[in-house]
Amino acid sequence: MIGTIFDIKEMAVHDGPGIRTTIFFKGCPLRCKWCHNPEGLSFDPQLMYKDAKCIDCKRCQNICEHEDCKPFQRCIHICPENCLEIVGRTVETKELANELKQSAGVLGESFGGFTFSGGEPLAQSQFLFELIDELKNYHLCIETSGYADEKIFLSVIEKLDFIIMDLKIADSRIHKQYTGVDNELILHNFELLKKSNKPYLIRTPLIPNITDTKENLNSLYNIIDDNSKWEKLPYNSLAGAKYKFLGMKYNI
Amino acid sequence: MNKELYNNILNKKHHQYRHNVEWTLAQEYAENGLSPIERMSDRFERLCNEEKAIILDGEQIVFLRTVSNIPAIFTDSEWEDISSKYYIHELGFISNLSPNYYDTIAKGLIKKRETADNYGKRAIDNIIKLSDKYLEEAKKQGREDLVEILSQVPRYPARNFREALQFFRILHYSLWLEGNYHNTIGRFDRYMYKYLKKDMEKGIYTEETALELLEDFFLSFNKDSDIYVGVQQGDNGQSMMLGGCDEDGKDVFNLLSELCLKASCNNKMIDPKINLRVSKNTPVERYIEATKLTKAGLGFPQYSNDDVVIPALEKLGYEHNDAANYTVAACWEFIIPNVGADIANIGAMSYPKAVNIALHNSLEKSKTYDEFFDFVKIEIEKECNDICNAIKNIWFVPSPFMNVLMDCATYNGGKYNNFGIHGTGIATATDSLAAIKKYVFEEKSIDKTELINAIDVNFENTPELLHRLRYESPKLGNNDDFVDSIATELLDAFANALKGKINCRGGIYRAGTGSAMYYLWHANEIGASPDGRRAKEPFGTNFSVSLFANVKGPVSVIASMTKQHFENAMNGGPLTLEFHQSIFADDDGIEKVGILVKNFIDRGGHQLQLNTVNLDKMIDAQKHPENYRQLVVRIWGWSAYFVELDKEYQDHVIARQAYTV
């Protein structure tokens, strides 16, 4: 099975217990206005242009013969400062699993496990299932928006050791305004998660005046309940940085 | 700590007590035909006489330099003459030794005087005289505590922790005043602990009060360090080694070791430089404690692995008890306290230079990669021969007081007289060879002439070739055996090239993994390289991945850099990892970095230095240095105040890979 990922991060520190490797899946059904991984939104490989080192030589604009450059109308093999990169690589499950196992092997017993993040890992559920199967001997964690078909959500969490789920906005209308989708499905899946006996953590990014309002936090508190672990994340002020690299606009 | 004293020293208020001396000693000595040792002896006496006793408000550990300069003892023409007759290493004065402070602290100078030669006796007399000036000043200032201490030390043995620390200060201060440099501290926790232990058992100190005193003691290393010699500010060799095992393999990490880690963390100053010996028996909690010091951003501690270093030193001929007692020199070279006179930084071999010459002279005629690598090995041998053959008749200006403090005579060497050679740019060379192996010989997608020509014009006309070599070619640091094995072969080649060579003092040569400042100097010797490095770009420091290599992360780097055969190349030179400050933001991050370090050691890594960086801060500090006077960064084996560095050193740290979360 083929899937698209956009990064593998060794030594991820805040993605679950122990020293973990996090795999970032490309593509997400949500469009949260504050997303700090904009390269995770689209399911397709994209051109990323980091302008800081650009010397404006325009060599990338010359027509080249490389197959992989053709979809992007820029040559990605010629920049003297490596400003152009294709973000998003398609990979076969087994190939990816082997790569991941090698890196896990380096840490041996100190290796904490793998975390599936992104983007939205549940949006490539088949790929995710296969990958989970390849890595079943490791501690596995997911970071998810919870926005997926109930059956998929349940089958995935059943196979995992720890679930990190986002709950951003309690009011469904406001949720739709800021993330592009309403939250009924997400809240429904959260109830299933609560009943599942799986250890989990709820995360809420504190976006000034949007999610960090007293109203929102109180409403979320009522939904989340005292038994859950709840982490409120400070707003990442550098979140906007990657947008211009992808030719996108940051709307916060 | 005493905040006021601390701030005064940080703000250099004590510099007001300094003055320069305008003596023309060299001329006088030349006219009177004094021998080198007589000159050293006489200069030390004059400097001790000139030194004023200044006791700063609130100081617990006294002795302060009031004379800023140490006048030359040879005229220019005399020195030219000496340099033509002998091999002179660096400044020609004794450096990078780890003397036996403890022996003198335990015996007192009067007792040591009995077995000293005449010059040693004279030096001791002068130190006592200077100390008496401090005693007088203490009386004048009503400092009863110092009166008591200075009535005892340095004439007589230290009786307690405070006296021991003060005695140390007097001895260390005197070594610098005599003209020795890179005066390392040695295994401080090992030889000082008994004093602290006794005082705590008597109830004289608690952990808190002992820590306060230690902070003051640590502060004293920073009072005069700006007038010590070094390549940049901070390069002064005040290395302290903590932890490690004894001759029987038993762990000696004690309460004093713990307090030293804390004192360094609390002071946040660049001296003393904290080193920690560890092994597979080191509990993970210790790594986590040490990582709290790493978080402080001083580049401390630097880790050395007993499991790898001790057997390798023994293999090189060191006796077991000496090998087990190793410490580090100014940066990271392994030396033996009390008896070692190894010159561990006598030269540096450039791997990329060897590759460059082989590339130009022998790539065309090589039919296979192995053939080509043989030519590279020949160039490495040639470089080593050139370095070794040039070192004949080495001579140092004799240091009478250093001679007193060492357990063996040091006028012509010591018990161990091995020479160490650094190995610069291993990643650049490895990546270059990996590119040649893959593209020239295996895929045959790059033509030999094309490659050589491109390098000779700094890739001016071949942007695609540059991109492929620089950004797409396999690199050291990604746990890829294809590349990593080349680094192993290069280090082996270096070690083999030095095998069997005897130096002019009867010792051997040690191949090292350090670079010292050669990562800048050697990089300027060659143009561009086949790894896609442009002309004039520096190499990475010591045993690190290339500055611009695309690496997966610290786990892969550790995997790559622990595969080599360090047992054959034991001069020192750490892997350097740079972490972004944010990784240490919470306990979780600190714990994980600690675990990672343990992993490095358990895998057989030999030496590691960690840097905590914040790129934004450094870039801003270049623009507004006045706002960043206390920003510290790790350089190649010591730490510096970022704003005091020359720009090329600043730029290098900025260019390094930093692992973020």
Side-chain angles (χ1 to χ4, degrees), chain B residues 437-450:
Chain B
K437 186 174 187 184
K438 177 172 175 155
Y439 299 122
V440 173
F441 289 102
E442 287 183 2
E443 288 179 7
K444 300 202 207 300
S445 54
I446 294 179
D447 178 70
K448 291 174 183 178
T449 322
E450 187 194 338

Side-chain angles (χ1 to χ4, degrees), chain B residues 417-433:
Chain B
N417 299 292
N418 302 320
F419 294 171
I421 301 181
H422 304 314
T424 335
I426 194 168
T428 302
T430 298
D431 293 348
S432 297
L433 289 169

Side-chain angles (χ1 to χ4, degrees), chain A residues 53-177:
Chain A
K53 292 215 181 125
C54 180
I55 57 172
D56 218 23
C57 67
K58 301 213 194 327
R59 286 199 185 103
C60 56
Q61 295 179 24
N62 296 333
I63 301 172
C64 67
E65 294 305 308
H66 312 115
E67 278 310 307
D68 53 350
C69 298
K70 296 231 161 82
F72 303 105
Q73 289 151 6
R74 286 281 186 279
C75 180
I76 58 163
H77 296 295
I78 203 137
C79 179
E81 297 299 327
N82 209 30
C83 298
L84 286 177
E85 212 184 294
I86 297 186
V87 59
R89 82 177 223 240
T90 49
V91 65
E92 182 53 65
T93 345
K94 239 199 160 51
E95 185 195 328
L96 178 58
N98 287 338
E99 213 183 292
L100 295 171
K101 285 177 195 169
Q102 195 205 24
S103 135
V106 175
L107 293 172
E109 274 172 31
S110 315
F111 182 65
F114 295 104
T115 298
F116 306 109
S117 181
E120 175 52 66
L122 296 178
Q124 294 185 63
S125 55
Q126 281 301 105
F127 176 61
L128 179 59
F129 281 131
E130 263 188 45
L131 194 56
I132 288 173
D133 200 51
E134 290 283 342
L135 302 173
K136 60 176 177 281
N137 294 328
Y138 295 92
H139 184 281
L140 301 176
C141 172
I142 191 170
E143 284 183 320
T144 177
S145 65
Y147 189 81
D149 177 84
E150 163 188 309
K151 283 211 270 305
I152 291 176
F153 185 78
L154 279 174
S155 348
V156 168
I157 66 173
E158 194 253 324
K159 296 176 196 284
L160 301 177
D161 301 290
F162 193 75
I163 290 98
I164 300 175
M165 184 167 154
D166 263 20
L167 286 182
K168 309 178 224 284
I169 295 173
D171 180 293
S172 194
R173 195 186 50 85
I174 302 177
H175 193 278
K176 180 149 185 155
Q177 185 187 356

Side-chain angles (χ1 to χ4, degrees), chain B residues 387-399:
Chain B
I387 294 171
C388 300
N389 292 341
I391 307 171
K392 294 187 199 345
N393 267 338
I394 197 167
W395 183 79
F396 288 89
V397 184
S399 287

Side-chain angles (χ1 to χ4, degrees), chain A residues 10 13 16 18 66 77 80 106, chain B residues 464 472 534 553 555-556 592 603:
Chain A
E10 292 182 352
V13 167
H66 312 115
H77 296 295
V106 175
Chain B
E464 217 179 295
E472 301 173 39
R534 294 188 181 94
V555 176
S556 291
K592 288 173 184 180
R603 289 182 71 82

